Amino acid sequence: MTRRPEAAPRAPLSRDRVLRAAVELADGIGIEALSMRRLAQELGVVPMALYKHVANKEQLLDGMVETVVGGIGLPASGPDWRGAVRHRILSARAALLGHPWAAQVIRSRSGPTPAILAHLDSVIGLFRAGGFSVDLTHHVMHALGGRVLGFTQEVFDAAPDPDPAARPAMPPEAAAAYPHVAELAGAAAHDGDSVVGGGCDDQFEFEFALDLLLDGFERLRLQGWTSGARRAGGGLIA
Amino acid sequence: MTRRPEAAPRAPLSRDRVLRAAVELADGIGIEALSMRRLAQELGVVPMALYKHVANKEQLLDGMVETVVGGIGLPASGPDWRGAVRHRILSARAALLGHPWAAQVIRSRSGPTPAILAHLDSVIGLFRAGGFSVDLTHHVMHALGGRVLGFTQEVFDAAPDPDPAARPAMPPEAAAAYPHVAELAGAAAHDGDSVVGGGCDDQFEFEFALDLLLDGFERLRLQGWTSGARRAGGGLIA
DNA sequence: ACCTGAACACCGTTCAAGT
DNA sequence: ACCTGAACACCGTTCAAGT
């Protein structure tokens, strides 16, 4: 019927189309299986055609990050620094949900993309407007770490199988060797949970830690904390 | 003089020697440059010789993790849960210092090695002995996340150049676009610091966040907190 | 029985040849 | 001038041939 026997999409390639296809492909097959060659195949083009739109694979990854982080909504501002920061961080988390490779890729890059800088700038701005000193804001941003972009901070990146029945039970000899882990796993099991990172309520765990930190920040702010108050080996509060 | 003209080491290969060489090589050239072929070359053997001692590269990485995590000292126990947990986590951090690839490799593996399980078990045990319920201990372990193994939780893994003069100054147009980031970077600069993750005092930032969390944990324990007390969108304390 | 070199199926990227 | 296929220097791992 047509002179083009290929069924491949015919839309002309563009940087944006390449990046959106890369994000979709990484979501589908995982970041470790994403290659320039595989991506080109998906787009129905020869591998070298991609190099017209991204200089190399590093730039492709940066562009993918930019695409995802750019999806974070604009900041809510207001007199309540705690609510505003909390909302902005949970927005970042929502934007990165469904792209489990994003945290790993961002951490592996050496520097921030413009969209990341814009996000960090807005969060820092919320702290400053809320009465935090430059000094305290600095340490507070470090304390949030990757959490400011919504990263979960589990020991293992990979989420276990969401079906509890598909997860192997802890064998008796392991339960004997690691009794405290077994106790936690056992108690969590009839909640549909597992050890650390298991089928737990990720959103609850994220907010639990976030709220602990935000409450701690507020206390330090009220105390007028400065880094001159460092005490070796002790707690931050007396 | 000898019938073997090669200068390569002659000690017979063993799993332990392979793992120690791999750790040393990853420390030196970085984890992304560590390959089976490069490691074999370093040991003066043919690549396939490694497969006598590790089944594949995944097992090599697991073994490397085991080697490093196995270096965490035994737990200090005592009546003071806070000091004991703090000491154990800082020991983990010390053991992983100098192996910047370890956090990334551990996170990328799908499950815990025995040494990691042993470490988690000991920390969980300290919380339980300190009067934490199974429920609270569960959420507290999630809140610590990778920090329980001493991971720093920065947005970017790679530490910038420790020499402040070697780090590029923020260009004026970037400072205009991201004024709050620029304010922090400027204030930190005459401390020899940079933005988030820059030449800051990593140990101080780690302990700052750790102490905030430990203080929060202690408050929840004293309150007799249970996860039944979840309140949507609010803080953990009133 | 043991060891190992060649081979396979990849990878990112360069480059020269073809249109 | 533009595009692209072959090629280069890798990679983890299989497998059969050689001792």
Side-chain angles (χ1 to χ4, degrees):
Chain A
M1 299 299 183
T2 160
R3 276 154 302 184
R4 300 186 259 96
E6 309 87 21
R10 287 284 120 193
L13 231 49
S14 69
R15 184 179 158 85
D16 191 62
R17 218 166 79 80
V18 168
L19 295 182
R20 279 189 291 107
V23 166
E24 197 178 334
L25 189 56
D27 291 348
I29 66 175
I31 192 69
E32 70 289 339
L34 176 79
S35 70
M36 298 296 276
R37 289 164 126 107
R38 182 85 171 71
L39 175 59
Q41 178 190 314
E42 206 73 14
L43 286 162
V45 300
V46 78
M48 285 312 298
L50 300 176
Y51 287 80
K52 289 263 109 102
H53 302 99
V54 290
N56 48 40
K57 195 178 183 183
E58 304 254 292
Q59 268 212 11
L60 176 75
L61 293 173
D62 279 344
M64 292 168 67
V65 167
E66 209 64 358
T67 300
V68 170
V69 175
I72 305 177
L74 283 182
S77 66
D80 168 25
W81 74 264
R82 193 186 182 285
V85 167
R86 194 174 194 279
H87 179 264
R88 187 119 184 84
I89 290 179
L90 292 180
S91 292
R93 180 170 156 81
L96 267 61
L97 265 185
H99 307 296
W101 48 269
Q104 184 187 138
V105 170
I106 291 171
R107 266 194 298 252
S108 72
R109 317 274 63 226
S110 60
T113 63
I116 291 179
L117 270 176
H119 178 74
L120 295 178
D121 196 75
S122 81
V123 175
I124 294 170
L126 292 174
F127 280 119
R128 297 286 291 123
F132 285 65
S133 70
V134 170
D135 181 25
L136 180 55
T137 303
H138 173 205
H139 299 299
V140 144
M141 289 295 290
H142 273 290
L144 283 175
R147 219 178 300 259
V148 74
L149 275 162
F151 300 171
T152 49
Q153 313 264 27
E154 300 295 342
V155 178
F156 299 102
D157 270 342
D161 197 304
D163 175 16
R167 286 196 301 273
M170 208 169 171
E173 65 271 22
Y178 314 110
H180 298 109
V181 171
E183 184 186 41
L184 241 61
H190 40 75
D191 294 347
D193 284 358
S194 158
V195 200
V196 172
C200 303
D201 183 342
D202 289 339
Q203 186 69 23
F204 177 79
E205 306 301 350
F206 185 87
E207 296 186 21
F208 177 89
L210 178 60
D211 287 331
L212 271 182
L213 288 170
L214 294 181
D215 287 345
F217 299 165
E218 173 68 354
R219 269 188 209 96
L220 296 181
R221 185 185 69 83
L222 290 172
Q223 284 172 223
W225 184 94
T226 69
S227 56
R230 305 181 182 193
R231 292 188 296 111
L236 288 160
I237 56 169
Chain B
M1 300 297 184
T2 160
R3 276 155 302 184
R4 298 187 261 93
E6 309 86 21
R10 285 286 119 191
L13 231 50
S14 70
R15 183 179 159 86
D16 191 62
R17 217 165 80 80
V18 168
L19 295 182
R20 280 189 290 107
V23 167
E24 197 178 334
L25 190 56
D27 291 347
I29 66 174
I31 193 69
E32 72 287 339
L34 177 80
S35 70
M36 299 296 276
R37 290 166 126 104
R38 182 86 170 71
L39 175 59
Q41 178 190 312
E42 206 74 14
L43 286 162
V45 300
V46 77
M48 284 312 297
L50 299 176
Y51 287 80
K52 288 264 110 104
H53 302 100
V54 289
N56 48 39
K57 194 178 182 183
E58 303 254 293
Q59 268 212 10
L60 176 75
L61 292 173
D62 279 344
M64 291 168 67
V65 167
E66 209 63 357
T67 301
V68 170
V69 175
I72 304 177
L74 282 181
S77 67
D80 168 27
W81 74 264
R82 194 186 182 286
V85 167
R86 194 174 195 278
H87 179 264
R88 188 119 183 84
I89 289 179
L90 293 180
S91 293
R93 179 170 156 79
L96 267 62
L97 264 185
H99 307 296
W101 47 269
Q104 183 188 140
V105 170
I106 291 172
R107 265 194 300 252
S108 73
R109 316 272 66 225
S110 61
T113 63
I116 291 179
L117 270 177
H119 178 75
L120 295 179
D121 195 75
S122 81
V123 174
I124 295 170
L126 292 174
F127 280 119
R128 297 285 292 124
F132 284 67
S133 70
V134 171
D135 181 26
L136 181 55
T137 303
H138 172 205
H139 300 298
V140 144
M141 289 296 290
H142 273 291
L144 283 175
R147 220 178 298 259
V148 74
L149 275 162
F151 300 170
T152 49
Q153 313 264 26
E154 300 296 342
V155 177
F156 300 103
D157 269 343
D161 198 304
D163 175 15
R167 286 197 301 273
M170 208 169 170
E173 64 272 21
Y178 313 111
H180 299 109
V181 171
E183 184 186 42
L184 240 62
H190 40 76
D191 294 348
D193 283 358
S194 158
V195 199
V196 171
C200 304
D201 183 341
D202 289 339
Q203 187 69 25
F204 177 79
E205 305 302 349
F206 185 88
E207 295 186 21
F208 177 89
L210 178 60
D211 287 330
L212 272 182
L213 289 169
L214 295 181
D215 287 345
F217 299 165
E218 173 68 353
R219 268 188 210 97
L220 296 181
R221 184 185 69 84
L222 290 172
Q223 284 171 225
W225 184 94
T226 68
S227 56
R230 306 180 182 193
R231 293 189 295 111
L236 288 160
I237 56 170

